[in-house]
Amino acid sequence: MTGEQPERVAGTAVVLRDGAAGVETLMLRRPARGSFAGAWVFPGGRVDPGDWDGAATQAQAARAAAVRETREEAGIRIADATPLSRWTPPPEQPVRYVTWFFLARDVGDEVVPNPGEIEQAEWMAPEQALAEHVRGGMTLFPPTWVTLNGLLGCASADAALAAAREPAFFRTRMGGGDDGGFVMWAGDEQHPDEPGEPGRRHRLLMGEPPWTYLRD
């Protein structure tokens, strides 16, 4: 085994396919108990020791975990897993996993959800998932919401993968306020570790839906 293991790490696959109206992504609903209880997520999970075999970096181990977990949770293989983002949860979160998100291509396998781990699996356009969130039909966590928001308007899986550049790093900190609170990332004027200039915003407002992503 090679590579560093400074923290708990996970890998997530944002699996893409072409739909009638543009790109679609595979969404999975977690059981009502356990991690991300009842939420809709992308397939993924923690890095196991075997995921470090042949991995020289944390990102490579997380990619192996994303590929493995997608097969375990949804019964499908994926291709072209490309780093998209790295999410560090806020310090006050009791169980913290640094999670790498990878854009990946569907290869046409039939989705077969793993009983006990996954309650429901659906291919959805990002617009559909975000609209369901507004209506209260889907629970989404901020990394999932922001990722879906970034896929809006993508015409195809090829276009989404071609647009991927250097992965974005999101070190999350919590904010508050009368509007129901927000989370923020580097560049926001209130971020305690990586603040931006006065007036700068890099945050997700999470009051009454629809949520709003602000990035100057």
Side-chain angles (χ1 to χ4, degrees), residues 47-143:
V47 171
D48 287 345
D51 297 321
W52 285 92
D53 293 343
T57 66
Q58 185 187 87
Q60 291 173 355
R63 180 189 285 110
V67 172
R68 174 182 53 77
E69 289 281 351
T70 301
R71 189 66 179 267
E72 292 175 3
E73 293 180 345
I76 64 171
R77 298 164 297 162
I78 56 176
D80 301 330
T82 302
L84 175 67
S85 55
R86 182 181 187 267
W87 298 82
T88 302
E92 57 268 32
Q93 187 164 315
V95 179
R96 304 176 71 243
Y97 279 88
V98 171
T99 303
W100 287 83
F101 278 43
F102 299 87
L103 292 179
R105 194 187 306 275
D106 171 53
V107 299
D109 294 341
E110 179 184 0
V111 175
V112 181
N114 186 5
E117 279 195 280
I118 304 301
E119 295 290 322
Q120 187 177 351
E122 298 284 348
W123 287 101
M124 294 185 180
E127 295 86 350
Q128 177 187 357
L130 294 174
E132 284 294 323
H133 178 252
V134 172
R135 288 193 287 267
M138 294 182 71
T139 298
L140 300 175
F141 282 81

Side-chain angles (χ1 to χ4, degrees), residues 182-205 214-216:
F182 59 92
V183 291
M184 64 187 131
W185 300 285
D188 192 281
E189 67 171 354
Q190 294 187 29
H191 197 285
D193 304 316
E194 303 167 286
E197 297 177 357
R200 292 287 184 179
R201 295 286 188 269
H202 187 195
R203 60 180 64 178
L204 179 63
L205 305 180
L214 302 176
R215 185 169 191 175
D216 296 332

